[in-house]
Amino acid sequence: MATTSSKNARKKEVKKETGLGLTYKKDENFGEWYSEVVVNSEMIEYYDISGCYILRPWTMAIWETLEAFFDLEIKKMNVKNAYFPLFVTENVLQKEKDHIEGFAPEVAWVTKSGQSDLEIPIAIRPTSETVMYPYFSKWIRGHRDLPLKLNQWCNVVRWEFSHPTPFIRSREFLWQEGHTAFATKEEADNEVLEILELYRRIYEEYLAIPVIKGKKSELEKFAGGFYTTSVEAFIPNTGRGIQGATSHCLGQNFAKMFEIDFENEKGEKAKVWQNSWAYSTRTIGVMVMVHGDDKGLLLPPKVAAVQVIVVPVPYKDADTQAIFAACLSTVQTLQAAGFKAEHDLRENYSPGWKYSHWEMKGVPLRIEIGPKDLANNQVRVVRRDNGVKADIPVASLVEKIKDVLISIQENLFNTAKQKRDASIKVVQTWDEFIAALNDKKMILAPWCDEEEVEKDVKTRTKGELGAAKTLCTPFDQPRLPEGTLCFASGKPAKKWTYWGRSY
């Protein structure tokens, strides 16, 4: 029996020999672990401008899968894709005061062309309300022009000065932004929730991440908007909530500023009701944080660029050609059945190195084919999520692989939900709140719904880990017994709200 120290020495030896493996552990140094995983798994590469990252094909494949799903769904809702310019003039950007105040510190400006200063500086879009709405006012005249439903897939720039983190907080990121205009509040309200449900599906059905749907507080809502709804995820390792995606009702505020009027069916002049909604490449960062482990990335099968990697395991004197041929035919069979399968036939790497490499990249399922498998007309499958191995007859390959991938997707979601649920703490008092906050919990507390009280909670919890704030008021409200008091102010509570530190 090998001693622990000799085992560790061998582990170090393997890491040195293969150049694989992570230096940091998820539970011990989450921040360093995350930075290492996103680079080692070949998702991103750091760029020479701080806060900007190269999104490598392994990332783009995930983004394209989410895009394909969402784009199809919004087209069913009769939303049309468009593209608006990246630049916006200062006077237009500043039309909606609350809105620009919310974004002002992050706006990047173009001030030069070659060597000459521009007469008027031009802003790069941090979001596109002010880019689009002057044209909504031009295109909308009467009730027959409504609803107007546009979406664009694009990049935006927010020149953040807080600590940049790949996917989570970057100076340029990819997103979709939908902008719609309606004749009535009711239509706008309905769409807000319809879109929010699509965002829930992106997280829960595709990325296998549990989220909570709810409404943002007045303090946390979109600057210049009427109300904001969001899907909120939680990262148990850091005890932080993370806003997953937002669907805003803008009310008639922007319609007033940009004069988006229409003649209704009675011939009267009216203002439109507007929404805007977006999700970004942040989704991918949340996935890495929730599912990744000490071996690297762990991809849900529904979004993985490669769902199954086939690795030959030839021993000495084995018929290598026959094993390679079996690998090729396995991949062909799986691809023909619609799976994303690839083989790794590189001869300059050992099977062990390949196992570590594809585990680091998070491929959900590995198939190994060696002489014994060839003789028995079977393949060995190894799950990335739990390491379980099984031998599968070649004859039933397709249906068995389908079952295993479904099982991995479900297991990832259930495991993440179990961890998230274990992190939720219901509190009634300030002392319980502080104890739960220090214990890295997502806190559900009765609240009086007063802005001053929320500001006070932020002030009282300020520290090096960051202040606590409202995450969202869940639509799914537990019963609020009569006489329940707000945990922070002692006034009568109006609702249950999630609180915590956040990204």
Side-chain angles (χ1 to χ4, degrees):
M1 183 74 188
T3 64
T4 311
S5 63
S6 73
K7 263 189 191 164
N8 282 346
R10 202 172 327 130
K11 238 186 194 167
K12 276 193 184 130
E13 196 54 44
V14 166
K15 177 155 170 40
K16 202 168 78 186
E17 177 196 325
T18 60
L20 288 173
L22 296 169
T23 318
Y24 297 95
K25 289 201 165 3
K26 189 178 186 182
D27 289 342
E28 289 167 15
N29 191 333
F30 186 84
E32 296 290 352
W33 167 85
Y34 178 78
S35 302
E36 205 177 9
V37 169
V38 291
V39 173
N40 288 16
S41 63
E42 299 174 342
M43 291 192 83
I44 67 137
E45 189 59 74
Y46 282 87
Y47 191 59
D48 66 355
I49 295 172
S50 170
C52 298
Y53 308 96
I54 297 162
L55 304 184
R56 300 183 66 182
W58 206 241
T59 289
M60 288 309 291
I62 299 169
W63 184 242
E64 285 165 355
T65 299
L66 301 181
E67 184 179 353
F69 159 73
F70 191 78
D71 204 59
L72 189 68
E73 292 299 322
I74 61 173
K75 281 179 175 148
K76 289 180 195 167
M77 293 166 64
N78 212 20
V79 176
K80 306 273 193 282
N81 283 327
Y83 184 79
F84 285 75
L86 177 67
F87 303 113
V88 56
T89 58
E90 188 170 11
N91 59 344
V92 172
L93 187 64
Q94 293 182 340
K95 252 195 168 160
E96 210 303 324
K97 289 286 176 277
D98 289 344
H99 177 68
I100 188 53
E101 271 172 27
F103 285 103
E106 304 172 351
V107 176
W109 294 89
V110 179
T111 57
K112 271 187 156 171
S113 162
Q115 288 310 305
S116 42
D117 290 344
L118 293 184
E119 215 170 294
I120 300 169
I122 294 170
I124 298 175
R125 61 175 170 226
T127 177
S128 297
E129 281 76 8
T130 57
V131 177
M132 294 184 174
Y133 299 166
Y135 300 91
F136 276 36
S137 112
K138 188 177 178 180
W139 300 333
I140 296 168
R141 286 281 177 258
H143 62 88
R144 288 183 187 82
D145 299 324
L146 292 170
L148 176 61
K149 301 183 180 189
L150 299 180
N151 175 68
Q152 69 173 357
W153 295 93
C154 64
N155 61 341
V156 285
V157 172
R158 296 183 184 174
W159 212 254
E160 302 254 8
F161 285 97
S162 54
H163 186 61
T165 307
F167 297 118
I168 303 299
R169 213 166 260 301
S170 56
R171 286 178 164 174
E172 180 193 7
F173 54 86
L174 300 182
W175 75 349
Q176 60 66 223
E177 49 176 326
H179 295 268
T180 53
F182 300 92
T184 64
K185 177 178 184 289
E186 188 187 3
E187 291 170 280
D189 288 339
N190 288 341
E191 188 203 59
V192 165
L193 296 180
E194 219 177 319
I195 292 291
L196 196 68
E197 171 59 12
L198 294 181
Y199 291 153
R200 181 201 66 79
R201 288 181 63 192
I202 281 174
Y203 275 96
E204 298 198 342
E205 294 176 16
Y206 281 79
L207 298 169
I209 295 166
V211 289
I212 291 164
K213 282 183 181 180
K215 192 171 168 182
K216 289 287 193 188
S217 69
E218 284 298 299
L219 205 56
E220 292 294 328
K221 74 177 184 184
F222 183 68
F226 180 40
Y227 65 84
T228 290
T229 68
S230 67
V231 287
E232 300 285 331
F234 189 74
I235 312 297
N237 287 74
T238 58
R240 287 181 188 275
I242 185 158
Q243 181 177 288
T246 47
S247 184
H248 316 286
C249 178
L250 303 177
Q252 294 175 304
N253 201 10
F254 286 87
K256 285 174 190 145
M257 298 302 161
F258 290 94
E259 296 172 5
I260 313 175
D261 302 317
F262 72 103
E263 200 174 273
N264 66 20
E265 288 174 15
K266 296 176 193 154
E268 304 157 343
K269 195 172 151 189
K271 299 254 177 268
V272 297
W273 287 83
Q274 287 175 273
N275 294 338
S276 69
W277 27 271
Y279 80 91
S280 74
T281 35
R282 170 179 268 210
T283 47
I284 297 170
V286 181
M287 177 202 75
V288 177
M289 289 182 164
V290 169
H291 300 308
D293 61 18
D294 292 341
K295 288 181 178 178
L297 200 58
L298 212 173
L299 295 174
K302 267 187 135 170
V303 296
V306 176
Q307 296 169 314
V308 185
I309 187 73
V310 180
V311 179
V313 192
Y315 303 136
K316 267 188 195 149
D317 311 325
D319 184 347
T320 307
Q321 285 324 107
I323 291 171
F324 276 24
C327 289
L328 287 167
S329 104
T330 301
V331 168
Q332 279 168 351
T333 303
L334 291 173
Q335 285 179 346
F339 298 106
K340 297 173 189 165
E342 288 184 11
H343 48 62
D344 187 344
L345 304 181
R346 293 176 290 178
E347 295 188 36
N348 54 332
Y349 291 111
S350 68
W353 185 94
K354 292 176 185 177
Y355 298 168
S356 298
H357 172 72
W358 293 107
E359 281 172 357
M360 174 70 73
K361 286 178 73 67
V363 173
L365 199 58
R366 179 171 80 238
I367 288 182
E368 303 167 7
I369 301 178
K372 191 180 134 203
D373 303 300
L374 214 54
N376 294 336
N377 215 10
Q378 67 182 31
V379 299
R380 164 151 290 198
V381 301
V382 185
R383 287 174 60 145
R384 171 67 180 85
D385 60 334
N386 59 17
V388 170
K389 300 176 179 180
D391 294 326
I392 289 178
V394 172
S396 56
L397 181 73
V398 168
E399 55 266 40
K400 290 275 194 252
I401 294 297
K402 185 183 173 193
D403 292 346
V404 176
L405 290 175
I406 288 170
S407 164
I408 293 173
Q409 185 83 23
E410 285 173 358
N411 182 44
L412 285 177
F413 179 79
N414 293 338
T415 305
K417 189 170 185 315
Q418 222 173 329
K419 286 183 185 164
R420 195 275 318 266
D421 290 351
S423 301
I424 293 174
K425 178 84 176 147
V426 179
V427 308
Q428 302 280 350
T429 67
W430 180 257
D431 289 347
E432 288 174 354
F433 176 80
I434 290 298
L437 191 64
N438 293 336
D439 201 18
K440 295 184 177 175
K441 299 295 188 199
M442 185 181 196
I443 302 160
L444 186 60
W447 180 38
C448 60
D449 196 15
E450 288 181 19
E451 208 170 301
E452 287 312 309
V453 174
E454 184 177 358
K455 283 179 181 166
D456 188 47
V457 171
K458 272 187 167 176
T459 309
R460 289 163 75 186
T461 55
K462 264 207 173 84
E464 55 192 55
L465 292 173
K469 60 182 184 184
T470 58
L471 302 173
C472 76
T473 293
F475 292 137
D476 192 2
Q477 282 281 311
R479 199 176 71 80
L480 189 68
E482 212 173 309
T484 303
L485 300 179
C486 169
F487 79 98
S489 68
K491 296 175 183 176
K494 291 186 182 158
K495 56 188 179 186
W496 290 95
T497 297
Y498 280 103
W499 298 73
R501 294 198 173 93
S502 78
Y503 279 94

